[in-house]
Amino acid sequence: MADKKVQQTLVLIKPDGLVKSLTGDILSALSNPKRKIMGAKIVRVTRELAEEHYQHLKDEDFFDELIKYILGEYHTKRVLALVYEGENAIKEIRKIAGATHPEEAHPETIRGKYGRIHSKTNVFENVVHASADEKDAEREIKLWFRPDELVHTIFPTESKETTKTELFWK
Ligand code: DAT
Ligand code: MG
């Protein structure tokens, strides 16, 4: 069927979602036997990662506040990053997440249920991120995850020798 395509997509449970203990509800809402989690990790977001992730918004008035929000300065300095794979996963997960503006999001969506607009910063605290299209999904998955952090990936990989010092358990 031409309209059914296996896709991978990036989901972030943002710092407000974590601090409000919404992780279980969000994972349940995204759960579907046909959709698999390919990778998951808790991340302390760096400014560099935050600015790269939201590079398309860098000229917006709210950019600095958006970066502070995703860095966790208003909630907790953690984000839960997930990669989902499934047929039409990008569109389906965007639908479950809901509209960007929390007041426009359908009340049965994650953003509609739990999102708010911060009254001082005007940033949409909308609890989750979900990749918008295939181009964004590929860029975002590659930004947040290394290939070996995913069970498997649909994107090509290559091996490179490095001299990096890595951390091991003592
Ligand atoms: P989405 O997250 O639905 O893909 P986006 O990429 O346009 O939306 O924006 C990224 C985030 O920035 C969004 O989740 C919340 C915040 N944001 C977007 N537009 C905003 C606005 N006009 N005022 C405040 N925050 C906004
Ligand atoms: Mg977006």
Side-chain angles (χ1 to χ4, degrees), residues 109-120:
T109 61
I110 297 166
R111 289 168 164 182
K113 266 190 197 164
Y114 305 121
R116 67 170 188 182
I117 299 168
H118 193 286
S119 59
K120 290 201 184 83

Side-chain angles (χ1 to χ4, degrees), residues 60-75:
E60 299 291 341
D61 294 344
F62 58 83
F63 184 69
D64 286 350
E65 287 298 341
L66 176 63
I67 296 302
K68 279 194 206 166
Y69 163 46
I70 202 71
L71 286 175
E73 293 193 14
Y74 300 111
H75 303 95

Side-chain angles (χ1 to χ4, degrees), residues 53-54 56-57 94 100 111 129-133 136 139-140:
H53 178 76
Y54 282 131
H56 61 295
L57 297 170
R94 283 287 284 195
T100 306
R111 289 168 164 182
H129 168 82
S131 306
D133 55 38
D136 274 4
R139 187 184 80 82
E140 292 171 359

Side-chain angles (χ1 to χ4, degrees), residues 26 153 169:
I26 294 166
T153 176
W169 301 116

Side-chain angles (χ1 to χ4, degrees), residues 138 142 147 153-158:
E138 179 170 352
K142 290 177 175 176
T153 176
I154 57 174
F155 309 122
T157 54
E158 61 179 346

Side-chain angles (χ1 to χ4, degrees), residues 4-16:
K4 286 197 174 176
K5 188 173 179 195
V6 173
Q7 296 175 323
Q8 294 182 335
T9 185
L10 181 83
V11 170
L12 303 175
I13 302 183
K14 297 180 181 182
D16 50 331

